[in-house]
């Protein structure tokens, strides 16, 4: 028998998962690309100032860092960015974070050379989702122009699909960049056919977001001239202002595959070579979501294989997996593959009959690249492509996600992932219950997924019970559930977070006096609204959260400038609703301690939003702490700032709930009423 474990109060449990240790975890991988047998991927590195490094795995298995120290492959397009790079031969083209120009490296480690001209304004041209033409003469991509002349002419940034010459001629002659497609408010997923003769893309217009409604278009492309053929040749294929269409991919035979919600779910569709809108065929119907919301550029959710099958990402009831589809049996539903992936983010055809490269997370590892070999409708082998690293924590420390369905206001069923306190070295005193930490994902059109998250384990290893809520409006539960938040943001999301806390209290799972709620961006708004309009939570932490809906509607970036039209109501006609739901207009509800964290370079939720809340807390004498970080945008990327924010939040809960964290944390001087 092992020795008895020491009794330590919940929240004060010692853990090897310190905030600094979290920064040593492998960098998160978002996208991957293939160039013949070579696999490329990006990797975020908080310990290196939050930059994105590119990595390259040769057929021998050797993995190299591609960019020299200090170079950061990241785009500012749509502010949320996404794919900012593409392999070209043995080198790579990428958008550099510092100036947003495109650069080219011929070999890993080479000093990158500019490929586009410097704009007249800082970050005036922003490039995203690049794809080289098969002859390597052109790079087709989305360009978002913030050049003063364009903004003055159109009243906002201008989005287009362009072709950039790969010979470097655009460095001195900006006119060498050819505008291929323009006129819509937004463009996404430009895809060239295998022979380079056809271009397909997604477009949509205000006030839509891509998950509200978007269209699939196609046009002939002249690879010799780098231009779309004569005006009038572009053809609409699918989608509308109310029908979601996304993720086009060409098969080897010219078949155009894409995802559409025309059946009621995001399912697979195809158009045969030379076919048109009348030839769209729904393939493999299933009451599940293929793909996800188009927040970032470069998403790849379907991979047509050489053997005719299609591999796709699939989410059912919030749980992610990989699935294979046999188009020769179009009425058969997708077959879920047996893999460790719980949150597939991208799937790529690896160039032969049976292999795909997948970016995804598992129950014990953050998002990484993997290669799977498929025989028929089964996985017969797989390997992790990134070099092996020491696990950040042993399996005995990991708290696995448990799906929870619970009843919310009006009898609605909502969803959450529950992570229980897990620590092999200590136990809690008898008769005590853990504090609850309700976590709200951002978006709000996004989702909590059951993938290993060191940030979640940080809390569970210290004795918190974490409820990661998929409130109404979250993806992965069908279009009806996602659309339930339309017109109801600030109502349904808040009700569901309050309901999960009450459910866990009533079930005897948590301490009713120690209930905390935290979230970033839209999740920060829900945190603030839960405090302003309800008295369930005893503490809250808002990370760059929305305080004033009206201010957000009047002052945010183009991509989300009309988002609230759908979530709340048209601005300014629905001004009364905006004020009714904005926490800043209901500060009399702020009676419980609050921690507020903000990036001072945030263009999505400007610092003024957090500063208004802090001023209101101070005026009412409510205990609070406020940390603002220079150089951080929407979502913190720099290791020292992430560490300080996380440690301060733990210190904050310790002060409010009456425990002393095991980690040595210096009291933040910015704290008011908590020391």
């Amino acid at each position: 028998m092992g020795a008895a474990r020491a009794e330590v109060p919940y929240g004060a449990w010692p853990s090897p998962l310190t905030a600094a240790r979290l920064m040593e975890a492998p960098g998160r991988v978002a996208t991957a690309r293939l160039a013949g047998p070579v696999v490329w991927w990006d990797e975020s590195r908080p310990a290196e100032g939050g930059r994105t490094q590119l990595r390259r795995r040769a057929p021998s298995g050797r993995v190299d860092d591609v960019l020299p120290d200090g170079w950061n492959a990241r785009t500012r397009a749509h502010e949320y960015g996404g794919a900012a790079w593409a392999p070209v031969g043995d080198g790579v083209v990428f958008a550099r974070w510092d100036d947003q120009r495109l650069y080219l490296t011929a070999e890993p480690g080479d000093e990158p050379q500019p490929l586009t001209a410097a704009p007249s304004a800082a970050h005036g041209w922003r490039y995203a989702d690049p794809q080289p033409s098969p002859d390597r003469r052109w790079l087709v991509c989305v360009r978002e122009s913030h050049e003063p002349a364009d903004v003055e002419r159109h009243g906002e940034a201008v989005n287009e699909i362009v072709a950039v010459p790969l010979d470097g001629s655009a460095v001195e002659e900006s006119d060498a960049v050819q505008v291929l497609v323009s006129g819509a408010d937004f463009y996404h997923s430009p895809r060239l056919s295998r022979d380079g003769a056809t271009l397909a893309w997604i477009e949509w217009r205000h006030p839509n977001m891509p998950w509200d409604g978007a269209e699939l278009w196609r046009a002939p492309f002249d690879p010799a001239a780098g231009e779309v053929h004569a005006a009038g040749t572009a053809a609409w294929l699918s989608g509308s202002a109310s029908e979601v269409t996304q993720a086009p991919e060409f098969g080897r035979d010219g078949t155009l595959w894409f995802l559409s919600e025309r059946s009621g779910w995001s399912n697979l569709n195809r158009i045969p070579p030379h076919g048109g809108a009348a030839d769209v065929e729904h393939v493999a119907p299933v009451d599940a979501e293929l793909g996800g919301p188009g927040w970032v550029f470069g998403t790849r959710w379907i991979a047509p294989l050489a053997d005719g099958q299609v591999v796709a990402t699939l989410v059912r009831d919030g749980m992610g997996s990989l699935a294979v589809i046999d188009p020769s049996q179009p009425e058969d539903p997708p077959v879920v593959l047996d893999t460790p992936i719980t949150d597939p983010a991208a799937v790529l055809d690896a160039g032969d009959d049976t292999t795909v490269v997948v970016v995804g997370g598992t129950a014990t590892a953050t998002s990484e690249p993997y290669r799977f070999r498929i025989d028929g409708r089964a996985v017969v082998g797989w390997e992790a492509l990134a070099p092996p690293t020491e696990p950040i924590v042993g399996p005995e420390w990991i708290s696995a996600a448990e799906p929870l369905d619970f009843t919310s206001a009006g009898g609605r069923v909502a969803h959450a992932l529950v992570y229980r306190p897990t620590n092999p070295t200590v136990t809690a005193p008898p008769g005590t219950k853990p504090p609850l930490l309700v976590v709200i994902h951002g978006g709000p059109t996004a989702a909590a997924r059951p993938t290993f998250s060191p940030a979640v384990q940080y809390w569970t290893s210290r004795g918190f019970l974490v409820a990661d809520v998929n409130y109404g409006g979250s993806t992965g539960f069908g279009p009806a559930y996602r659309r339930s938040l339309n017109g109801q943001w600030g109502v349904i999301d808040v009700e569901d977070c309050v309901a999960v806390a009450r459910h866990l209290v009533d079930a005897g799972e948590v301490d009713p006096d120690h209930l905390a709620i935290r979230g970033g961006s839209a999740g920060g708004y829900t945190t603030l609204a839960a405090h302003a309009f309800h008295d369930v939570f005893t503490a809250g932490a808002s990370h760059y959260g929305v305080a004033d809906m009206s201010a957000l509607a009047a002052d945010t970036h183009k991509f989300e400038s009309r988002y609230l039209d759908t979530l709340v109501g048209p601005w300014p006609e629905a001004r009364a609703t905006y004020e009714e739901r904005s926490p800043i207009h209901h500060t009399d509800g702020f009676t419980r301690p609050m921690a507020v964290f903000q990036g001072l370079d945030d263009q999505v939720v400007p610092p003024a939003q957090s500063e208004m809340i802090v001023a209101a807390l101070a005026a009412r004498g409510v205990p609070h702490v406020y940390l603002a970080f220079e150089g951080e945008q929407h979502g913190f990327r720099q290791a020292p700032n992430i560490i300080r924010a996380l440690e301060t939040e733990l210190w904050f809960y310790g002060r409010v709930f009456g425990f002393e964290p095991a980690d040595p944390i210096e009291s933040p001087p910015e704290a008011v009423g908590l020391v």
Side-chain angles (χ1 to χ4, degrees):
M1 296 181 61
R5 292 188 291 174
E7 292 183 0
V8 179
Y10 287 113
W13 290 0
S15 170
L17 280 170
T18 63
R21 176 72 174 132
L22 263 58
M23 297 304 99
E24 299 172 12
R28 180 180 179 274
V29 175
T31 58
R33 293 290 181 264
L34 302 172
V38 179
V39 183
W40 298 69
W41 65 87
D42 53 31
E43 186 176 283
S44 62
R45 294 189 171 174
E48 298 178 21
R51 77 177 180 121
T52 298
Q53 172 63 283
L54 303 180
R55 311 199 78 189
R56 177 182 184 273
R57 178 183 168 114
S60 65
R62 173 176 170 172
V63 175
D64 293 307
D65 286 357
V66 176
L67 303 182
D69 290 347
W71 286 79
N72 187 356
R74 184 180 166 206
T75 177
R76 296 176 185 261
H78 284 187
E79 300 299 335
Y80 292 101
W85 57 275
V88 180
D90 292 329
V92 65
V93 171
F94 66 97
R96 185 186 188 188
W97 174 251
D98 301 53
D99 57 13
Q100 291 297 285
R101 297 170 70 184
L102 289 175
Y103 287 78
L104 173 67
T105 65
E107 294 282 349
D110 284 356
E111 188 71 11
Q113 300 301 311
L115 197 64
T116 56
S120 66
H123 314 133
W125 288 317
R126 306 173 183 188
Y127 301 89
D129 212 351
Q131 180 183 0
S133 60
D135 60 7
R136 299 183 187 173
R137 296 179 63 179
W138 299 93
L139 189 79
V140 175
C141 58
V142 174
R143 183 179 69 182
E144 183 177 271
S145 175
H146 291 255
E147 287 287 86
D150 285 335
V151 174
E152 182 177 0
R153 187 181 310 115
H154 296 273
E156 61 182 358
V158 176
N159 294 67
E160 300 165 318
I161 298 177
V162 301
V164 179
L166 283 167
D167 63 4
S169 58
V171 175
E172 300 297 334
E173 302 176 17
S174 60
D175 290 346
V177 176
Q178 303 294 312
V179 176
L180 303 179
V181 187
S182 62
D185 292 317
F186 300 98
Y187 294 95
H188 207 277
S189 305
R191 299 289 183 264
L192 289 170
S193 58
R194 303 290 176 125
D195 61 4
T198 306
L199 174 67
W201 68 89
I202 299 295
E203 67 177 53
W204 69 95
R205 291 166 173 77
H206 288 310
N208 274 3
M209 299 297 283
W211 47 83
D212 296 321
E215 300 174 355
L216 171 64
W217 286 73
R218 181 184 63 198
F221 178 73
D222 182 353
E227 62 184 21
V228 168
H229 284 237
T233 59
W236 169 86
L237 298 175
S238 183
S240 68
S242 58
E243 177 192 322
V244 180
T245 303
Q246 59 182 349
E249 298 289 348
F250 283 99
R252 285 167 174 75
D253 64 353
T255 297
L256 181 56
W257 300 91
F258 64 96
L259 302 178
S260 169
E261 289 185 355
R262 62 172 54 191
S263 68
W265 290 83
S266 179
N267 277 192
L268 186 63
N269 293 263
R270 66 180 169 189
I271 300 174
H274 313 298
D279 303 303
V280 173
E281 181 184 8
H282 182 201
V283 179
V286 61
D287 289 351
E289 293 184 6
L290 275 62
W295 276 104
V296 298
F297 289 100
T299 48
R300 304 266 180 157
W301 290 316
I302 55 177
L305 303 185
D307 66 358
Q309 296 194 112
V310 177
V311 177
T313 66
L314 184 148
V315 182
R316 180 187 280 118
D317 296 329
M319 308 298 284
S321 59
L322 291 175
V324 63
I325 296 163
D326 182 358
S328 69
Q329 305 293 325
E331 297 303 316
D332 289 356
V335 174
V336 172
L337 296 170
D338 183 14
T339 78
I341 301 293
T342 58
D343 184 20
V347 56
L348 305 165
D349 170 13
D352 58 28
D353 287 353
T354 62
T355 308
V356 292
V357 169
V358 177
V359 173
T362 72
T364 58
T366 53
S367 186
E368 294 182 6
Y370 298 85
R371 180 159 36 213
F372 292 93
R373 188 160 56 88
I374 300 169
D375 184 1
R377 296 193 175 190
V379 171
V380 295
W382 65 277
E383 63 173 328
L385 297 177
T389 57
E390 185 72 23
I392 189 171
V393 68
E396 69 276 12
W397 290 89
I398 295 176
S399 177
E402 300 175 23
L404 171 68
D405 297 341
F406 58 94
T407 301
S408 188
R412 291 182 295 102
V413 175
H415 313 280
L417 298 171
V418 171
Y419 299 84
R420 301 188 183 281
T422 301
N423 189 309
T425 66
V426 297
T427 188
T432 61
K433 297 175 181 178
L436 171 65
L437 188 59
V438 170
V439 176
I440 316 113
H441 63 72
T445 309
R449 293 281 185 255
T451 300
F452 175 73
S453 167
V456 168
Q457 308 300 324
Y458 176 85
W459 299 107
T460 56
S461 64
R462 285 169 171 74
F464 284 78
L465 186 147
V466 173
D468 206 351
V469 185
N470 275 315
Y471 49 82
S474 300
T475 60
F477 301 89
Y481 193 76
R482 185 186 74 233
R483 291 176 181 140
S484 67
L485 198 64
N486 290 356
Q488 296 297 310
W489 190 37
V491 179
I492 283 179
D493 53 315
V494 179
E495 290 175 344
D496 290 354
C497 291
V498 168
V500 75
R502 287 175 171 161
H503 174 89
L504 292 167
V505 167
D506 292 344
E509 300 266 12
V510 296
D511 187 332
D513 295 323
H514 294 165
L515 307 179
I517 182 171
R518 77 186 300 266
S521 190
Y525 164 76
T526 303
T527 295
L528 296 171
H531 276 258
F533 304 121
H534 298 268
D535 59 0
V536 171
F537 295 100
T538 48
S542 169
H543 296 251
Y544 35 90
V546 178
D548 185 351
M549 285 184 168
S550 300
L552 185 66
D555 180 23
T556 192
H557 58 114
K558 179 185 177 182
F559 180 54
E560 290 185 293
S561 62
R562 301 289 298 278
Y563 190 17
L564 299 192
D565 283 25
T566 300
L567 292 176
V568 183
W571 173 262
E573 294 84 352
R575 182 188 298 271
T577 303
Y578 281 72
E579 293 182 355
E580 177 185 345
R581 297 185 193 168
S582 293
I584 197 61
H585 296 302
H586 302 275
T587 56
D588 55 333
F590 288 158
T591 60
R592 307 294 178 88
M594 181 79 67
V596 180
F597 306 93
Q598 177 69 44
L600 293 178
D601 291 347
D602 195 334
Q603 300 299 310
V604 179
V605 178
Q609 294 272 307
S610 290
E611 290 164 1
M612 286 188 289
I613 288 298
V614 173
L617 293 168
R620 293 186 57 80
V622 178
H624 65 276
V625 60
Y626 176 49
L627 294 185
F629 297 105
E630 295 279 358
E632 291 287 8
Q633 293 197 310
H634 199 63
F636 302 156
R637 287 175 170 265
Q638 300 176 39
N641 298 338
I642 298 172
I643 292 170
R644 188 174 179 220
L646 197 55
E647 289 183 340
T648 298
E649 189 174 348
L650 174 62
W651 175 92
F652 167 75
Y653 295 139
R655 286 295 183 271
V656 177
F657 295 157
F659 66 81
E660 187 67 35
D663 309 59
I665 303 173
E666 184 178 349
S667 299
E670 300 85 351
V672 176
L674 291 164
V675 179

